[in-house]
Amino acid sequence: MSHHIIDIDDLYYSYPDGNQVLKGISFRITHGEKVALVGANGAGKSTLLLQFNGCLLPEAGRVRIGEMPVTKKTLKHVRRTVGLIFQDPDDQLFMPMVYDDVAFGPLNLGLTPEEVDRQVMQALAAVGAVHLKDRPPYHLSGGEKRAVAIAAVLSLAPAILVMDEPSSNLDPKTRRQLIDLLKTFEHSLIIATHDLDLVLDLCPRTLVLKEGRIAADGPTRMIMQDEELLASCNLEKPLRLQGCPVCHPV
Amino acid sequence: MGTIENSLYNIGYLETLSYQATPIHRLDPRVKLLTTMVFIVAVVSFPKYAVGSLIPFILYPVALIALGNVPVGYLGKKILIAAPFAVFIGIFNPLLDRQVMVHLGPLAISGGWVSFASIMLRFVLTVSAALILIAVTGFHQVCAALERLGMPRVFALQLLFLYRYLFVLGGEAARMVRARALRSFDGRGLGFGTYGSLLGHLLLRTLDRAQRLHLAMLSRGFDGEIRLLRPLRLHGRDVGFFLGWTGLFVLLRLYNISQWWGTWVMGLVK
Amino acid sequence: MHMADALISPAVGGAMWAATAGLTVYSARKLKQDMDDRKLPLMGVLGAFVFAAQMINFTIPATGSSGHLGGGMILAILLGPYAAFLTMASVLTVQALFFADGGLLALGCNIFNLGLFPCFIAYPFIYKKLVGERPTQGRILLGAMAAAILSLQMGAFGVVGETWFSGISELPFFTFMLLMQPIHLAIGVVEGLVTATVVAFVWKARPEILEMAPPMASGAPRSFKPVILGLVALAVFTGGFLSWFASTHPDGLEWAIKGVTGKEEVQAPKTGAHGVLAALQEKLAFLPDYDFRKPEGEPEAKKEESWPDVNPGKSLAGVLGAVITLLLVGAIGFGLKKYAGHHG
């Protein structure tokens, strides 16, 4: 299944106001890989995510999903392959009822009502949110919103999932449930986050982004030990890898 | 400073009422919408001094409240909150129209008071009908009904979007207002300068949100068209509900049954 | 200020519904033609913004009272007239349904007063003209101020006209006008200030947003005239027809059911502009003395009432009947509640 591959080649992007955010980024993510994208605020993480499904198009360089370059013509296919889950579920859940929202994508694909229903129920079941289907999104808790937002993307049966800060604003237990859920996914997964403990749990590989460039790309365990690199990117060694203050008081 | 939260809570509460499963809730939304419209038109079509002939119309809200399990106290409060404009305009009637119209024993009542009573009665009837409609139907169902009845798609979607983001932006506004209140002492800081920039910020955030929302829609295959999967089907009970009530409204509009009862009882007494 | 169902007649409510429904369909079609698919979420979220903004108050110095944003003007500036009109209409619809602000029948009036005037008149003819192609802070302030004041004046006049035409309130036309216009002058100044401040704020922070506002508005004045004329004609026609209907047949429903016809020729002049003007004249002539309900009055003005007549016996029967009806309705409600309780 070659279209699970994301291939980025010397990518540049500037916002209309001239501010260059991505300055020559290259990497390749292969089938089923789970990769973390970390970096300081403003390093360009969110902008990069928007490139993966053509919400933004490169100024120079190339983004390829499988064998297909992301261009205006391939958008429909690309967006079906790459599911993007936004940081704020309120940006993503815009339909009146949970069910409608999860059905939004499949309906846009032109599936039959029966197929739509099947996809929706499957997606809701995958995140354990079947019981929420007739509720309006604004009456959901933060964790429920997140689950539904994921379902709304899963219902398109994407091969690659891209998530922006999935664990932000979640209480510890809900966060743990989310991590357990993501572990069960067989999709290729790209997670932009500041939650380095989540990265340790989920992603064998980490990309560090710094001022629009890749500062490091390698096994998570190694990168998380490189305190100098982490500090230069406004990051901190994950708590789990720091000495326990009770056992080893400073 | 909990007024924004209160308003939002109020809207949300009205909506939660619509999740119940009473026989009224199960009716087709189109039928409830149309019946409500007929009801309102029938009520406002009475002449200025109608009071007695309007009273039987109370049956409709009362029946829906009872069958649809709508809390009366809550409804009453909402009606009171909406009252000022109608009262403000209506109260001129007793001042301007002092001609005696009704004698009740020693009591002489001017036309102004009669028409004021009529305005208040109309007000309670029409307002309660509209609020009950939402409480037993739910907003998105009302929108679906409106669309099926010919309202342009863009407008129906616009209503749904507005309603959805009301809670998000309302929450944002409430947090900003609280932040302002916490740092305003002796009323300083509640003035126009702060207000303008507060609103400006809220607007910029809104515009950013619209942009993200658009991206989220595009990411899931949005092509300018929003498709809804929501079949509406008319059943016998829906038709029965509509025809039954409409028929009753027409009868009540034509015959003043309370006058009739009154005369009849007076006859008995004599 | 929102019109209320309780104060309008079906003729006025119907006429305004017809006009605003027509305009809604027209705007929706216009929007579809140049559909920029960014507009749909933008409109929705801006509608919510207006709603949220209306909940935020500020203190007006030295008065102790507080003001807030109306919204029509700001929407027009950000979205252009068609999208702004639809957005404003949706705000008013939600207010009517959830806050009982206005009412369902009065919704037409409210959309007309608070949506049409700012979006289709004040924006293209005042704001656009004053601000021109190259906005400066001063021009924005001036344009927003003038446009907001004028659209509120027109809106207030709309309320007065609709109330008076409905004839439920006893308030004479000019008295009501003298009451409404100055109040709304003050509100308009506040609204203008708010609109100007917010627009200037956005203009400074993100000028591209204002430039995004559709250029179609610049060519608008020409294309609006027929639309507005059409609407006025539609409203006058519907209103004229319905009021003729109401005046010739005080019990319109009865008339409809019995299918009585045949008075058309006699009453024909009552429709259209003639009818409206004649009605106007008649009304104005009555106003100085408030006794036009006297039996010798004209048939249009004298309405069949339920208990208008000064007959103690009949009045008592009316009150008695009302009490009986209320008791009965109460009993039915109680019974239904019990029934629902058992089966619910």
Side-chain angles (χ1 to χ4, degrees), chain B residues 4 7-8 11 14-15 36-37 40-41 44-53 55-56 58-59 62-63 65-67 69 78 82 85-86 88-90 92-93 96-97 99-104 115 119 122-123 126-127 130-131 133-134 139 142 152 154-155 157-159 161-163 165-166 169-170 173 177 180 190-192 195-204 206-211 213-214 217-218 222-226 250 253-254 256-259 261-263 265-266, chain C residues 1-10 17 24-25 28 31-32 37-38 40-49 51-53 55-59 67-69 74 78 86-87 89-91 93-94 96-100 102 104-105 159 163 167-172 176 179 193-194 197-198 201-202 205-206 209 250-251 253-254 257 290 292-294 303-310 312-322 324-326 328-329 332-333 336-337 339-340:
Chain B
I4 299 180
S7 312
L8 291 177
I11 299 177
L14 197 56
E15 178 80 19
T36 307
M37 283 315 284
I40 291 175
V41 170
V44 302
S45 75
F46 277 92
K48 180 154 69 172
Y49 297 99
V51 174
S53 43
I55 283 179
I58 297 174
L59 180 64
V62 165
I65 287 170
L67 290 173
N69 196 24
K78 294 226 35 151
F85 182 61
F88 170 71
I89 302 299
F92 284 97
N93 282 12
L96 295 172
D97 176 4
Q99 197 195 0
V100 172
M101 184 181 252
V102 181
H103 288 282
L104 284 177
S115 60
I119 289 178
R122 284 158 204 262
F123 167 74
T126 51
V127 165
L131 292 173
L133 173 68
I134 291 292
F139 185 68
V142 172
V154 191
F155 189 60
L157 290 173
Q158 162 67 21
L159 280 173
F161 267 109
L162 163 65
Y163 186 63
Y165 283 95
L166 189 58
L169 293 183
V177 165
R180 175 182 67 168
L190 296 175
F192 190 77
Y195 173 78
S197 88
L198 188 143
L199 221 52
H201 275 292
L202 184 61
L203 180 60
L204 288 183
T206 305
L207 293 168
D208 286 341
R209 186 179 289 282
Q211 209 172 7
L213 181 60
H214 183 234
M217 292 169 76
L218 287 178
F222 176 63
D223 52 9
E225 190 71 35
I226 289 185
V250 171
R253 179 65 185 80
L254 296 182
N256 183 350
I257 60 161
S258 54
Q259 183 75 36
W261 266 321
T263 318
V265 172
M266 297 269 283
Chain C
M1 195 171 272
H2 291 51
M3 267 311 273
D5 274 356
L7 297 171
I8 63 170
S9 67
W17 255 83
T24 305
V25 172
L31 210 58
K32 205 155 188 176
D37 67 16
R38 277 176 308 176
L40 192 61
L42 186 59
M43 285 162 64
V45 181
L46 279 177
F49 165 76
F51 216 110
M55 297 177 184
I56 307 177
N57 292 322
F58 63 92
T59 323
H68 67 73
L69 180 75
I74 214 161
L78 292 169
L86 288 180
T87 307
S90 72
V91 170
T93 306
V94 171
L97 285 169
F98 281 89
F99 293 105
L104 290 182
L105 188 62
V159 171
T163 307
I168 305 288
S169 164
E170 208 58 65
L171 272 170
F176 195 18
L179 204 67
L193 263 175
V194 176
T197 313
V198 175
F201 188 95
V202 172
R206 302 257 287 278
I209 289 169
D251 261 335
L253 274 169
E254 191 168 19
I257 284 164
Y290 307 115
F292 54 90
R293 281 168 295 94
K294 276 181 181 164
K303 295 186 174 154
E304 276 298 311
E305 312 303 358
S306 39
W307 7 302
D309 76 271
V310 190
K314 206 170 170 199
S315 299
L316 190 58
V319 174
L320 198 64
I324 296 173
T325 314
L326 272 179
L328 219 74
V329 168
I332 294 174
L336 287 176
K337 185 90 198 155
Y339 167 84

Side-chain angles (χ1 to χ4, degrees), chain A residues 35-56:
Chain A
V35 179
L37 186 61
V38 301
N41 291 330
K45 298 191 298 293
S46 298
T47 312
L48 183 56
L49 294 191
L50 292 174
Q51 297 277 350
F52 293 153
N53 74 345
C55 277
L56 299 176

Side-chain angles (χ1 to χ4, degrees), chain C residues 251-292:
Chain C
D251 261 335
L253 274 169
E254 191 168 19
W255 175 82
I257 284 164
K258 291 184 182 162
V260 179
T261 48
K263 275 191 167 179
E264 281 88 340
E265 291 93 10
V266 190
Q267 298 293 343
K270 285 262 166 242
T271 53
H274 266 291
V276 173
L277 284 179
L280 229 132
Q281 216 170 12
E282 268 171 4
K283 284 243 177 188
L284 290 176
F286 286 135
L287 288 173
D289 46 351
Y290 307 115
D291 55 1
F292 54 90

Side-chain angles (χ1 to χ4, degrees), chain A residues 50 53 55-56 79-80 82-84 86 88-97 99-110 113 116-117 134-139 145 152-153 155-156, chain B residues 8-9 11-13 15-16 18-19 138-141 157 160-161 163-168 172 208-230:
Chain A
L50 292 174
N53 74 345
C55 277
L56 299 176
R79 283 176 182 165
R80 200 180 166 168
V82 181
L84 179 57
F86 284 66
D88 182 354
D90 276 326
D91 290 341
Q92 206 183 332
L93 305 176
F94 43 81
M95 297 293 280
M97 291 285 164
Y99 184 96
D100 299 323
D101 209 286
V102 180
F104 177 81
L107 280 170
N108 287 337
L109 289 178
V116 171
D117 188 66
D134 293 321
R135 300 257 300 272
Y138 42 82
H139 280 160
K145 276 186 191 170
V153 168
S155 65
L156 284 160
Chain B
L8 291 177
Y9 171 77
I11 299 177
Y13 182 70
E15 178 80 19
T16 34
S18 73
Y19 304 154
F139 185 68
H140 67 281
Q141 288 277 56
L157 290 173
L160 290 174
F161 267 109
Y163 186 63
R164 169 67 183 87
Y165 283 95
L166 189 58
F167 294 91
V168 178
E172 255 172 51
D208 286 341
R209 186 179 289 282
Q211 209 172 7
R212 291 197 302 271
L213 181 60
H214 183 234
L215 288 177
M217 292 169 76
L218 287 178
S219 297
R220 291 195 279 151
F222 176 63
D223 52 9
E225 190 71 35
I226 289 185
R227 298 159 185 87
L228 284 171
L229 194 61
R230 195 178 293 137

